[in-house]
Amino acid sequence: IDNHMYCHVYHEGIGKKGGTNVASLIVKTLRKMQLLRDDEVGGELNIIFDNCSGQNKNNTVLKLAMWLKEMGYFKRVSFVFLIVGHTKNACDRLFNSLKHEYRKKNIFTMDELIVALDVSEKITVDRTVASDFLDYDGTFKALYTNLSGLVKNNHIFTCDGDEDELIMKIRESNLDEHEIIRHAAVQPSRGIRNDIEKLRTRSAALLQPIKPPGINPYKLVELYFKYRPVVPPEYHQDEFYIKPSDDVLKMVKEEKVIRIENRAKVKALKEK
């Protein structure tokens, strides 16, 4: 067993980078590692995160621990958040290997980026597609209760045991002075209790793909008019450099006119 990093690469047109996206990629990685098996309960899963609330430390990602335990994938699941100022880990070191060839090259497309990143035996580069992102946020809202007031100050979130009711044990740290808070995780109105098969069926129905956001139209216009002229001709048909639709061009042009008018109004008010 050695340090190994799974790197998921995608651009903003494929997906965002919030809790739903993080949960989707965690599950994708666990499946790729063959750790989620319907016919066998795994032992203990520990995932270490940094304290970023937008991506990691939020209700959607924390409910993933509840779901992995209740789905029967593991006997114990712990999500541990490193405290601010002490977040260096193996992934940070492996990022240097990730960038070994990337920093030496001119890269014009996603295909070239994937090749440039995938050079180390310690890193698996996985090109993410839109269908990888499933609606974990909506699914977990239907299945589990929010951890209201319990997220910010705590760092250890654990689901284990065989209680009749799914309980998440929450602690600020593992010091004796910090007591365990027991959070009743199951949404009272969901109608499923202690039935893995029903939970799996319900989850499969709820976990639908998220509509990809698409590349920002203003960036599409900028890529076409400002970047395409300096990109080698063989790349001009790539998705980043093709001409935007007439509707996009019209919308961006109208928005620019509105912005210029608003800036002029603000300037006139400041000069009064």
Side-chain angles (χ1 to χ4, degrees), residues 63 66-67 70 140-145 166 185 187 190:
K63 290 175 184 178
M66 307 174 189
W67 184 78
E70 195 178 20
F140 292 162
K141 283 180 179 177
L143 297 177
Y144 305 110
T145 57
L166 180 65
Q187 191 69 263
R190 78 177 194 183

Side-chain angles (χ1 to χ4, degrees), residues 36-216:
L36 303 187
R37 298 184 291 273
D38 292 337
D39 59 346
E40 182 180 356
V41 180
E44 181 173 349
L45 174 69
N46 296 296
I47 301 184
I48 313 299
F49 299 87
D50 65 27
N51 247 352
C52 176
S53 59
Q55 293 177 273
N56 302 330
K57 202 176 186 186
N58 54 63
N59 271 283
T60 302
V61 173
L62 290 172
K63 290 175 184 178
L64 176 62
M66 307 174 189
W67 184 78
L68 290 170
K69 170 64 172 70
E70 195 178 20
M71 287 281 283
Y73 291 131
F74 301 98
K75 295 178 181 178
R76 177 186 174 93
V77 179
S78 290
F79 285 3
V80 181
F81 293 83
L82 301 173
I83 61 175
V84 175
H86 300 270
T87 59
K88 295 299 181 183
N89 54 44
C91 283
D92 293 308
R93 296 193 298 273
L94 289 171
F95 264 111
N96 290 326
S97 299
L98 186 72
K99 297 184 289 186
H100 187 271
E101 295 298 322
Y102 161 83
R103 61 188 177 84
K104 303 177 185 177
K105 298 178 179 293
N106 290 323
I107 296 173
F108 301 102
T109 68
M110 288 295 294
D111 288 338
E112 289 185 344
L113 177 62
I114 297 295
V115 172
L117 295 176
D118 195 14
V119 294
S120 172
E121 293 181 353
K122 291 181 176 292
I123 299 172
T124 297
V125 176
D126 194 330
R127 183 166 185 169
T128 305
V129 296
S131 58
D132 288 332
F133 294 124
L134 305 178
D135 186 16
Y136 281 94
D137 182 51
T139 299
F140 292 162
K141 283 180 179 177
L143 297 177
Y144 305 110
T145 57
N146 282 339
L147 287 81
S148 302
L150 298 174
V151 175
K152 185 176 180 180
N153 295 326
N154 293 298
H155 295 82
I156 303 173
F157 301 80
T158 301
C159 288
D160 60 5
D162 298 315
E163 298 106 327
D164 291 336
E165 183 178 17
L166 180 65
I167 298 294
M168 174 171 272
K169 299 172 184 176
I170 304 169
R171 298 186 73 180
E172 186 173 343
S173 78
N174 61 357
L175 298 175
D176 293 338
E177 63 194 75
H178 292 139
E179 297 181 357
I180 295 175
I181 301 170
R182 295 172 61 85
H183 171 73
V186 175
Q187 191 69 263
S189 61
R190 78 177 194 183
I192 301 174
R193 288 185 182 277
N194 299 323
D195 192 323
I196 291 178
E197 293 306 319
K198 285 185 178 180
L199 180 62
R200 289 176 177 174
T201 301
R202 178 80 178 277
S203 296
L206 291 171
L207 285 171
Q208 296 301 311
I210 301 170
K211 182 180 179 181
I215 300 175
N216 184 300

